[in-house]
Amino acid sequence: MKLSKIQRSYLYNALAVVAVFVVLYVLQLTGLIGRYYQGILLTLLINIVLTVSLNLATGFLGQLTLGHAGFVSVGAYTAALISLRSGLPEAVAFPIALVSGGVVAAVFGIMIGIPALRLRGDYLAIITLGFGEIIRVVILNLKFTGGASGLNGIPIMTNFPYAYSIAVLTITVMFLLIRSRHGRAIISIREDEIAAESSGINTTYYKLLAFTIAAFFAGVAGGLQAHMLFVIDANKFGFIYSVDIMVMVVLGGMGSITGSILAASILTILPELLRDLAQYRMLIYSILLIVLMLYRPSGLLGRHELSQKILGQWAGRLGGKKRTPSSPDTPEA
Amino acid sequence: MTFLTYFLNGLQAGSIYALIALGYTMVYGIVKLINFAHGDVMMVGAYVALFSLTTFNLPLWATVLVTMVFTAVLGVVIERFAYKPLRKSARISALITAIGVSLLLQNLVMLVFSPNPLPFPDPLQAAPVFEIGGLKVSTLTIGTIVAAFILMAILTLFITKTRMGKAMRAVSEDTGAAILMGINVNTTISVTFAIGSALASFAAILYVLAYPQIQPYMGSMPGLKAFVAAVLGGIGIIPGAMVGGMVLGIAESLTKGYISSQFSDAVVFGILILVLLFKPSGLFGRNVREKV
């Protein structure tokens, strides 16, 4: 009985995913969603991949990392170089480029993670920041990455079906991972590393696992971005970019995948709506960060996930009491 | 001879890093927070100094004074409104807030004064260049090194000899016990932020005298490097920050001189990574075991 309930919910989710895809795709094909909005939609999907992946490291594993942009740039450069230099037809090279971007970023994740993850808290934040900056400086000074002028002429291959399926794939992998035995081990490290270790959890292994998976998806997102922008340059992927992604994770709630999706959507669409206020974007971001930390450090959704159940509760609460995004006694979706 | 020139340049840069690093280390020692906004407080100091020198035509000594007072107040205000409410919450929240404050300062300055770099006047233009055995040394280089050493000596005396200094050491050792001994922790923390910020703005003036251009992002790189210096010396340890700053400045200057100026940033972060890997507690630090 219980199993069928879960199966039913999987079925609903799958149907919803397909339905959203069909609706959005048809709207694009018929031109109801114009070129400009298509671009925003792609950025949004890429941001979702980035936010969800960083959330694994920061929200679920509980390790503040400030070098996520470094992995994005590694992925972007790898993917771009494969598309530009492999000589394969673009349509064949693109998926290979994306996967390689992810794999190379994951290798960097392992190489950086092994030393870095021995540190905790503030030190980890700083060392990842350091690695991110080193990646940027090295890319800027290497010959085959085009140096300071970056790479250009990357074929524009990122389209809605690709971006959408990668975003869905990322979210699915994250959900399954978090619900699994491995995921619980990862969460236990966030809750109390020493307790986790004394319960027999190989903390180094699980930290590295989470960190590497996060790096992999960041790399894939980098590849998508390279094939959307036509030109990439390492300065785009600096510390500020890492902070951008971090703001999305924090706003959505560290430890909530649906929160990440929500926040990535809000923070991608909002600046576009406020085009006239573009110069205030970072100002608004910074104030948002401070105010969030002071008054709602758990973000919009905290550690909860949006689900039909919670949506129902909200709807019920809307009429009556003050609306609170989540209450402590709400069971997870 | 070139080696000595690089060495002196390194010492000059190192003095600046050391002064900024002191702020990081003092704040970390007392509230266990990496004050990401510290480099930006320094940047604000540079802007204040610019306007004090040009718009108000104050002499250099008065500019130094005005700037230090202004940033000291700024540091206290930041602590009071952004960090104090989070003193008891998770460390990650305070760290993210600090990043927020840093971005806020940068973007406020950018909106008010435009993102374009502004030139900084050179009040030491007429100052003589000394020549010691064929080695040319500017007044600024000597002045920077001497001033930094004097300030550090005063700070050391303050920390070791005065009541407030004793209170600061007590709070950083054990806040709870310090409260029980009747130490006003809030005042102590405010004073720490004030001193740290004032030192950073002093460093800012030395910095812009050497590189006469200011812009809203100018604080991040020296800030990060000073942080590396603080970690190198052992974060929370005051003499460590001084030595760490000097070592870092010299290492950077030698890299620029003998290898490549583009890689000097990578070398600085490389040092950070090596230190964190092999001796995370820093050169002067002791290992503290975590107890359950």
Side-chain angles (χ1 to χ4, degrees):
Chain A
M1 188 65 203
K2 191 144 193 249
L3 198 74
S4 78
K5 204 170 160 188
I6 291 174
Q7 278 171 337
R8 213 186 311 149
S9 105
Y10 279 162
L11 186 68
Y12 287 152
N13 281 334
L15 285 176
V17 163
V18 174
V20 169
F21 176 80
V22 169
V23 169
L24 286 174
Y25 200 45
V26 167
L27 284 177
Q28 288 185 30
L29 289 180
T30 53
L32 278 169
I33 295 182
R35 198 156 273 278
Y36 170 64
Y37 293 100
Q38 288 180 18
I40 298 177
L41 198 58
L42 289 183
T43 314
L44 195 160
L45 291 167
I46 292 172
N47 281 343
I48 287 179
V49 175
L50 288 173
T51 311
V52 170
S53 65
L54 181 64
N55 206 342
L56 179 66
T58 299
F60 292 102
L61 183 64
Q63 310 291 326
L64 184 60
T65 68
L66 294 175
H68 214 53
F71 298 130
V72 182
S73 72
V74 168
Y77 271 90
T78 310
L81 283 172
I82 286 178
S83 274
L84 287 173
R85 306 276 155 83
S86 67
L88 295 168
E90 286 171 3
V92 182
F94 183 51
I96 300 176
L98 285 184
V99 173
S100 330
V103 169
V104 175
V107 171
F108 270 76
I110 296 175
M111 284 183 337
I112 293 173
I114 288 175
L117 289 168
R118 287 165 49 188
L119 305 164
R120 286 178 203 169
D122 315 341
Y123 287 104
L124 180 71
I126 290 298
I127 201 171
T128 47
L129 195 166
F131 274 120
E133 287 298 303
I134 289 181
I135 289 177
R136 190 176 62 84
V137 172
V138 169
I139 288 181
L140 280 179
N141 286 297
L142 284 178
K143 278 260 154 49
F144 70 95
T145 53
S149 53
L151 291 172
N152 64 42
I154 307 160
I156 307 236
M157 293 297 294
T158 302
N159 54 14
F160 179 70
Y162 257 116
Y164 188 84
S165 30
I166 288 172
V168 169
L169 187 73
T170 312
I171 297 164
T172 314
V173 169
M174 290 299 165
F175 258 113
L176 294 178
L177 177 70
I178 289 308
R179 296 278 188 277
S180 73
R181 187 189 164 86
H182 299 283
R184 282 198 293 275
I186 288 169
I187 292 172
S188 77
I189 295 174
R190 169 187 77 193
E191 296 299 330
D192 190 332
E193 196 174 330
I194 296 173
E197 200 164 6
S198 19
S199 314
I201 287 168
N202 185 346
T203 52
T204 315
Y205 169 77
Y206 282 109
K207 274 174 156 181
L208 200 58
L209 179 76
F211 198 68
T212 308
I213 294 175
F216 175 82
F217 283 110
V220 175
L224 281 175
Q225 209 159 38
H227 290 83
M228 185 178 92
L229 296 175
F230 183 73
V231 48
I232 51 171
D233 116 63
N235 278 328
K236 186 185 182 311
F237 306 109
F239 175 56
I240 296 287
Y241 195 60
S242 295
V243 172
D244 271 355
I245 310 170
M246 175 61 69
V247 174
M248 292 181 192
V249 172
V250 173
L251 175 68
M254 287 184 270
S256 168
I257 293 172
T258 39
S260 286
I261 301 170
L262 192 67
S265 312
I266 294 175
L267 289 184
T268 313
I269 295 170
L270 205 61
E272 297 295 337
L273 293 178
L274 304 174
R275 271 272 134 159
D276 304 336
L277 301 175
Q279 49 174 334
Y280 297 104
R281 185 180 71 102
M282 285 311 288
L283 190 71
I284 295 169
Y285 269 29
S286 56
I287 295 174
L288 185 72
L289 256 189
I290 299 171
V291 171
L292 262 179
M293 282 301 115
L294 291 181
Y295 297 104
R296 199 173 164 77
S298 53
L300 289 176
L301 294 187
R303 287 175 183 175
H304 301 281
E305 301 293 354
L306 271 184
S307 64
Q308 296 146 342
K309 203 169 165 186
I310 290 186
L311 283 176
Q313 284 176 350
W314 283 10
R317 227 179 287 165
L318 266 180
K321 276 187 298 178
K322 193 177 146 239
R323 171 178 160 178
T324 45
S326 61
S327 56
D329 54 352
T330 321
E332 284 222 17
Chain B
M1 213 41 81
T2 37
F3 175 78
L4 267 182
T5 313
Y6 292 144
F7 187 81
L8 271 180
N9 286 344
L11 217 54
Q12 181 187 358
S15 310
I16 296 171
Y17 292 149
L19 287 177
I20 310 173
L22 282 170
Y24 273 115
T25 244
M26 286 166 66
V27 164
Y28 191 90
I30 212 156
V31 283
K32 300 282 172 285
L33 164 75
I34 295 177
N35 185 6
F36 262 102
H38 195 60
D40 304 289
V41 170
M42 173 202 153
M43 175 270 296
V44 173
Y47 273 86
V48 174
L50 174 68
F51 286 100
S52 153
L53 273 176
T54 55
T55 316
F56 298 103
N57 263 322
L58 293 179
L60 189 58
W61 65 268
T63 297
V64 170
L65 215 63
V66 168
T67 311
M68 285 175 84
V69 170
F70 186 95
T71 45
V73 173
L74 178 69
V76 172
V77 169
I78 290 174
E79 195 277 330
R80 178 67 192 72
F81 287 102
Y83 302 152
K84 195 180 167 206
L86 291 166
R87 230 176 260 167
K88 292 217 164 57
S89 52
R91 295 269 291 281
I92 196 165
S93 310
L95 201 57
I96 293 172
T97 312
I99 296 174
V101 174
S102 158
L103 293 175
L104 180 66
L105 289 177
Q106 282 174 9
N107 288 285
L108 269 181
V109 170
M110 196 156 27
L111 280 177
V112 178
F113 301 111
S114 95
N116 305 322
L118 298 173
F120 198 83
D122 187 2
L124 297 178
Q125 230 160 20
V129 174
F130 299 100
E131 201 165 333
I132 312 163
L135 185 69
K136 282 193 178 131
V137 189
S138 68
T139 311
L140 179 64
T141 305
I142 296 181
T144 301
I145 299 170
V146 171
F149 273 97
I150 293 175
L151 270 186
M152 288 182 212
I154 296 175
L155 181 72
T156 312
L157 282 178
F158 177 81
I159 302 276
T160 49
K161 301 286 185 222
T162 61
R163 277 178 75 85
M164 187 39 90
K166 208 184 223 178
M168 282 164 65
R169 280 182 289 143
V171 174
S172 81
E173 191 102 346
D174 188 333
T175 312
I179 293 171
L180 293 177
M181 295 302 120
I183 292 170
N184 187 336
V185 173
N186 287 335
T187 314
T188 314
I189 292 178
S190 293
V191 171
T192 309
F193 270 85
I195 295 177
S197 307
L199 288 177
S201 68
F202 190 84
I205 295 174
L206 295 175
Y207 186 81
V208 290
L209 286 176
Y211 313 95
Q213 212 183 41
I214 61 177
Q215 39 107 353
Y217 290 123
M218 64 172 278
S220 10
M221 254 309 154
L224 276 179
K225 285 179 185 166
F227 177 77
V228 174
V231 174
L232 177 63
I235 195 153
I237 304 162
I238 287 170
M242 302 175 185
V243 175
M246 297 295 171
V247 171
L248 201 72
I250 292 166
E252 194 191 25
S253 173
L254 292 182
T255 316
K256 273 185 187 158
Y258 289 110
I259 305 173
S260 141
S261 61
Q262 278 145 341
F263 277 103
S264 71
D265 289 354
V267 166
V268 168
F269 287 110
I271 290 179
L272 169 77
I273 288 161
L274 288 179
V275 172
L276 287 179
L277 292 184
F278 293 107
K279 199 160 182 341
S281 52
L283 295 175
F284 290 70
R286 273 172 308 163
N287 261 327
V288 182
R289 280 195 172 276
E290 193 167 348
K291 291 180 191 144
V292 183

